[in-house]
Amino acid sequence: TAKKRLTNVHPFYLVVPAACECVTTAMTAIALTMIPASTACMLQSTLLVFAAIEQRIIFGKGYYRHHFVGICLIIAGVLEVGLIAAKDGSESQTGSVMFGMIAMIVAQIATTAKYMIEESVLLVHDVDDMLMVGLEGMWGLLIYLLALTPMQMLTCGEYYVSDTGTL
């Protein structure tokens, strides 16, 4: 029989990871409107680089040479894909492509922050996994309800107008 774990975590501790996930979702959606999906997938590999940096800073985790080689290869690949994507578009699209790539990288930083916060909460508190997922989902839903409801009232220029005249 499995022992039922109790939790001593306050539900508000999980607001920040839920907010990080909301930032990730929003920035990824914005980025995907500006860059090809293949470029977005390659930029998602920066998650490993940021996770390694944050693991080193927050938890003091050490790495071996082969870890550094892998991180350098990821950085080289991302730089190559970024340069190709920036040069591939026309002069008028270069700015939006660069913004899209920056938005995708910001999304990966937010995802890494979410992972680190979750890991630190799990290290300090005895939290049931399903309770943690449920609380994060509840906070994410509340954040989106509070953010998206006013956004439905925003009007756009003609270029971005849908059939209803909103975003």
Side-chain angles (χ1 to χ4, degrees), residues 38-56:
S38 58
T39 303
C41 288
M42 286 299 294
L43 290 175
Q44 284 179 338
S45 65
T46 58
L47 176 73
L48 298 172
V49 175
F50 297 124
I53 292 169
E54 288 185 23
Q55 284 268 335
R56 177 74 177 161

Side-chain angles (χ1 to χ4, degrees), residues 45-103:
S45 65
T46 58
L47 176 73
L48 298 172
V49 175
F50 297 124
I53 292 169
E54 288 185 23
Q55 284 268 335
R56 177 74 177 161
I57 292 170
I58 296 172
F59 299 112
K61 184 175 180 180
Y63 295 104
Y64 296 106
R65 277 186 234 143
H66 63 277
H67 293 133
F68 287 114
V69 170
I71 290 170
C72 289
L73 288 173
I74 290 170
I75 292 170
V78 166
L79 286 174
E80 181 182 4
V81 167
L83 289 173
I84 290 171
K87 287 182 180 180
D88 198 29
S90 65
E91 295 259 341
S92 63
Q93 290 180 334
T94 303
S96 65
V97 169
M98 292 302 290
F99 183 78
M101 289 191 294
I102 291 169

